[in-house]
């Protein structure tokens, strides 16, 4: 494909993303479902060029920024508090699913070597960070479930990739040593944490010394790829390195980044993540065409393969339920024995957690890295797509309905301070400074208007802290008036610009001030 044609194709895909995302909003579907189904359907339109993406490039291009985005916004306190549960899902559930799928695959197709069966299990076992984020955006979950799903999606790709590499090596060599595999697993995981911490420390050092906001923003965006590639370069987990760097950046960015840089960088990052997330599902849909063509078309799929696809999808789904409810039984038993730290989820939360196992970019890209002489390679590709399709379309589309029907309970204890109390504490700290600096050294009031404004704000904050709902009702009406006033200011600004009374530079400067003021009003109104 010519370079210009490739660029035109990328533009067409972006236009397709807009259309499918709009359609998903209209139909109230998860956007991931519409993108995956739309990409798969369009892939078979006659005359469209086949789209193939190098699997190694797919992992490097898509995985680091999407992992970084999840890690950056992860609630670190809850992540640490629920780390045992997260590791149970990210390591235990992935290993268990790999074993279950491997056994089922060997039962269906005994001619497939055991190691190859476990390689298939490793491909389809880790729920995907991208799919989880895409589906969970439109649903409300209890805090503990959010922490478990977010943490699992950040770490389980590393487990799946490590298991996959062990299984492929065992298939091709015919040799597997459990002790060596466990040592290698520990080295890769711990090494990933170390590399991510070093890269994050380097970013902190660099960001503090760069004096240009654009350079700081660029270094922030490049951090995800720096961590991933550094981890892979020294043969440790690039996934864990990226997650570690993302968690560190999310923790330190408040002290390092200015307000302007944070607002600009967040806007740029939001667009980047949205585009990459959408393109992932479009390309996964398009990849079905290449997989079907390789085996001679849909009609050429052997019946044994259809049985394998159905069995693998069921094994993946059932294995997650079994692991989570078995873990629930263990926690319930431990709680009855008096172990206070054992906190079962409860059947409602466990059901939602079991159903939220969507697969995505890793499951799609990893099988494409299989050696051409790998036994069952094409079968693994088709099974991988079947798992992605069913989990994203069926589980993803029904997750919101399941949550509404099951009604999971938020049993996680809330933080000591709610939003009104936190806002009150901030207002009190600000007011103390204004009260002190509103007078000069002789005690003469030099900022009367500022002092009066902050005293009014403190009186409102006292009412708001005591009765948040009643105070906000009056405040929204207040902000509605201010927003109408800002709209009038904007209309007048445009009028005098169109009349040629001010230069474009003045227009942009004043419009930026109005935009910031309007954003602040909308945010404070609670929209």
């Amino acid at each position: 494909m010519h370079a210009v044609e490739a660029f035109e194709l990328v533009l067409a895909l972006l236009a397709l993303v807009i259309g499918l995302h709009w359609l998903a909003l209209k139909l109230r579907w998860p956007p991931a479902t519409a993108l995956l189904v739309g990409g798969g359907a369009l892939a078979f339109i006659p005359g469209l060029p086949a789209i193939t993406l190098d699997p190694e490039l797919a992992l490097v291009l898509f995985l680091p920024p999407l992992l970084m985005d999840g890690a950056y916004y992860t609630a670190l306190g809850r992540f640490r508090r629920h780390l045992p549960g997260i590791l149970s899902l990210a390591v235990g559930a992935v290993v268990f699913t790999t074993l279950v799928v491997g056994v089922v695959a060997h039962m269906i197709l005994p001619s497939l070597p055991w190691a190859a069966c476990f390689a298939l299990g490793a491909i389809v076992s880790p729920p995907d960070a991208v799919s989880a984020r895409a589906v969970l955006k439109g649903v409300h979950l209890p805090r503990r479930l959010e922490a478990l799903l977010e943490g699992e999606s950040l770490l389980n790709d590393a487990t799946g990739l490590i298991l996959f590499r062990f299984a492929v090596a065992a298939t091709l060599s015919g040799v597997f040593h459990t002790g060596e595999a466990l040592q290698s697993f520990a080295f890769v995981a711990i090494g990933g944490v170390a590399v991510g911490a070093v890269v994050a420390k380097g970013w902190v050092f660099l960001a503090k010394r760069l004096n240009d906001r654009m350079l700081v923003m660029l270094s922030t965006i490049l951090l995800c790829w720096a961590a991933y590639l550094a981890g892979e370069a020294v043969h440790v987990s690039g996934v864990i390195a990226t997650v570690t760097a993302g968690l560190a950046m999310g923790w330190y960015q408040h002290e390092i980044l200015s307000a302007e840089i944070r607002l600009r960088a967040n806007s740029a990052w939001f667009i980047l993540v949205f585009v990459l997330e959408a393109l992932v599902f479009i390309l996964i849909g398009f990849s079905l065409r290449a997989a079907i063509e390789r085996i001679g078309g849909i009609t050429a799929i052997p019946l044994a393969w259809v049985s394998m696809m159905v069995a693998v999808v069921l094994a993946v789904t059932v294995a997650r339920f079994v692991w989570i409810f078995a873990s629930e039984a263990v926690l319930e038993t431990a709680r009855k024995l008096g172990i206070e730290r054992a906190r079962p989820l409860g059947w409602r939360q466990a059901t939602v957690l079991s159903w939220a196992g969507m697969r995505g970019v890793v499951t799609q890209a990893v099988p494409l890295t299989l050696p051409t002489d790998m036994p069952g390679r094409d079968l693994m590709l088709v099974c991988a797509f079947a798992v992605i399709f069913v989990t994203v379309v069926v589980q993803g589309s029904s997750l919101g309905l399941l949550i509404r029907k099951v009604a999971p309970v938020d049993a996680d204890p809330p933080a000591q301070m709610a939003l009104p109390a936190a806002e009150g504490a901030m207002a009190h700290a600000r007011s103390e400074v204004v009260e002190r600096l509103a007078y000069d050294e002789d005690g003469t009031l030099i900022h009367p208007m500022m002092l009066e404004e902050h005293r009014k704000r403190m009186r409102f904050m006292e009412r708001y802290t005591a009765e948040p709902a009643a105070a906000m009702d009056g405040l929204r009406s207040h902000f509605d008036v201010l927003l109408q006033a800002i709209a009038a200011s904007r209309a007048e600004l445009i009028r005098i610009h169109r009349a040629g009374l001010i230069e474009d530079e003045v227009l942009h400067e004043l419009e930026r001030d109005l935009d910031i003021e309007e954003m602040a009003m909308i945010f404070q109104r609670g929209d």
Side-chain angles (χ1 to χ4, degrees):
M1 185 183 295
H2 192 272
V4 175
E5 293 176 336
F7 179 67
E8 291 172 347
L9 182 59
V10 171
L11 294 179
L13 288 178
L14 292 176
L16 180 61
V17 164
I18 295 173
L20 290 173
H21 203 280
W22 175 84
L23 180 63
L25 295 176
K26 286 293 182 183
L27 298 176
R28 296 185 178 180
W29 288 1
T33 300
L35 293 167
L36 181 62
V37 174
L42 290 170
F44 290 95
I45 294 179
L48 280 183
I51 301 177
T52 57
L53 184 64
D54 181 88
E56 296 290 349
L57 174 61
L59 288 176
V60 173
L61 176 61
F62 293 108
L63 199 54
L66 298 176
L67 285 171
M68 177 69 74
D69 186 60
Y72 179 83
Y73 290 106
T74 292
L76 193 56
R78 287 208 300 267
F79 182 86
R80 287 197 300 258
R81 187 162 62 250
H82 298 301
L83 186 58
I86 290 170
L87 291 178
S88 171
L89 293 169
V91 179
V94 171
V95 173
F96 179 71
T97 304
T98 299
L99 295 175
V100 170
V101 172
V103 171
V104 169
H106 194 72
M107 291 172 60
I108 299 293
L109 200 63
S111 60
L112 195 63
W114 274 106
C117 293
F118 291 133
L120 172 60
I123 290 169
V124 300
S125 60
D128 184 62
V130 183
S131 300
R133 283 168 39 79
V135 171
L136 293 175
K137 280 179 180 176
V139 299
H140 175 72
L141 288 174
R143 289 184 296 272
R144 186 178 178 187
L145 280 187
E146 278 189 0
L148 290 173
L149 285 170
E150 288 174 358
E152 177 196 16
S153 68
L154 292 176
L155 299 179
N156 59 13
D157 287 339
T159 306
L161 288 171
I162 294 169
L163 291 175
F164 171 76
R165 289 166 184 166
F166 288 157
V168 171
T171 303
L172 298 179
S173 66
V175 178
F176 180 78
H177 297 291
T178 304
E180 292 180 5
L182 291 174
Q183 290 178 4
S184 179
F185 188 95
F187 170 78
V188 167
I190 296 172
V193 173
V195 169
V198 170
V199 172
K201 189 173 181 62
W203 173 79
V204 170
F205 177 85
L206 184 66
K208 286 181 176 179
R209 286 158 180 79
L210 292 174
N211 297 320
D212 184 85
R213 62 174 180 266
M214 294 305 297
L215 295 180
V216 176
M217 289 170 58
L218 182 59
S219 71
T220 301
I221 292 173
L222 291 178
L223 177 62
C224 61
W225 285 291
Y228 184 87
L229 293 174
E232 293 296 313
V234 297
H235 305 294
V236 298
S237 175
V239 170
I240 294 179
T242 305
V243 170
T244 302
L247 291 171
M249 183 173 72
W251 183 260
Y252 287 107
Q253 54 93 9
H254 311 285
E255 306 166 16
I256 296 170
L257 303 181
S258 66
E260 180 186 13
I261 291 175
R262 186 160 40 249
L263 287 173
R264 290 175 180 264
N266 284 347
S267 298
W269 188 254
F270 178 81
I271 293 296
L272 174 66
V273 168
F274 172 80
V275 170
L276 290 178
E277 243 179 34
L279 286 178
V280 161
F281 290 105
I282 290 284
L283 293 173
I284 288 174
F286 269 94
S287 70
L288 177 62
R289 176 177 173 180
I292 296 298
E293 287 177 348
R294 258 193 303 272
I295 59 177
I298 294 178
T299 57
I301 299 178
L303 183 60
W305 283 27
V306 176
S307 301
M308 177 71 85
M309 284 188 286
V310 174
V312 168
V313 170
L314 290 175
V316 164
T317 305
V318 172
R320 184 172 177 86
F321 271 88
V322 170
W323 179 267
I324 289 174
F325 276 90
S327 300
E328 277 291 288
V330 171
L331 290 173
E332 184 65 34
T333 302
R335 186 181 66 82
K336 290 179 179 178
L337 292 174
I339 301 176
E340 295 181 359
R341 296 188 62 182
R343 295 176 54 232
L345 287 168
W347 72 268
R348 298 174 186 273
Q349 292 77 263
T351 301
V352 173
L353 187 62
S354 300
W355 193 243
M358 291 70 66
R359 271 64 175 178
V361 60
V362 172
T363 299
Q364 185 262 339
V366 166
L368 296 175
T369 65
L370 288 165
T372 54
D373 58 344
M374 180 78 177
R377 184 179 189 274
D378 288 334
L379 173 60
M380 294 183 191
L381 288 168
V382 176
C383 286
F385 186 86
V387 170
I388 295 170
F389 187 85
V390 171
T391 56
V392 172
V393 175
V394 178
Q395 294 183 351
S397 299
S398 59
L399 184 60
L401 176 63
L402 177 68
I403 291 172
R404 289 192 294 273
K405 293 295 183 182
V406 173
V409 180
D410 195 347
D412 221 22
Q416 294 181 1
M417 294 182 70
L419 175 64
E423 288 184 311
M426 293 168 58
H428 183 72
R430 178 185 296 187
S431 180
E432 282 186 344
V433 173
V434 173
E435 289 280 355
R436 185 175 70 252
L437 300 180
Y439 300 88
D440 63 11
E441 296 179 354
D442 298 330
T444 303
L445 180 62
I446 56 176
H447 298 297
M449 295 180 63
M450 182 185 298
L451 183 61
E452 179 59 26
E453 175 65 26
H454 275 78
R455 285 177 174 173
K456 287 182 180 178
R457 179 175 296 185
M458 277 305 302
R459 288 194 292 270
F460 168 77
M461 289 306 302
E462 289 170 359
R463 295 196 306 273
Y464 174 59
T465 304
E467 297 182 87
M472 283 303 298
D473 288 340
L475 190 63
R476 288 191 186 96
S477 175
H478 171 77
F479 284 134
D480 286 340
V481 174
L482 292 178
L483 286 170
Q484 292 182 47
I486 291 173
S489 297
R490 191 186 305 278
E492 178 63 14
L493 176 63
I494 294 173
R495 187 193 69 79
I496 60 179
H497 172 261
R498 298 293 187 263
L501 300 177
I502 58 174
E503 296 291 346
D504 284 10
E505 292 82 358
V506 176
L507 168 71
H508 296 316
E509 185 76 17
L510 293 177
E511 188 173 40
R512 185 197 64 183
D513 294 343
L514 287 174
D515 289 344
I516 294 173
E517 188 177 0
E518 182 176 345
M519 286 176 60
M521 296 297 171
I522 291 174
F523 178 77
Q524 292 180 65
R525 192 177 63 172
D527 290 359

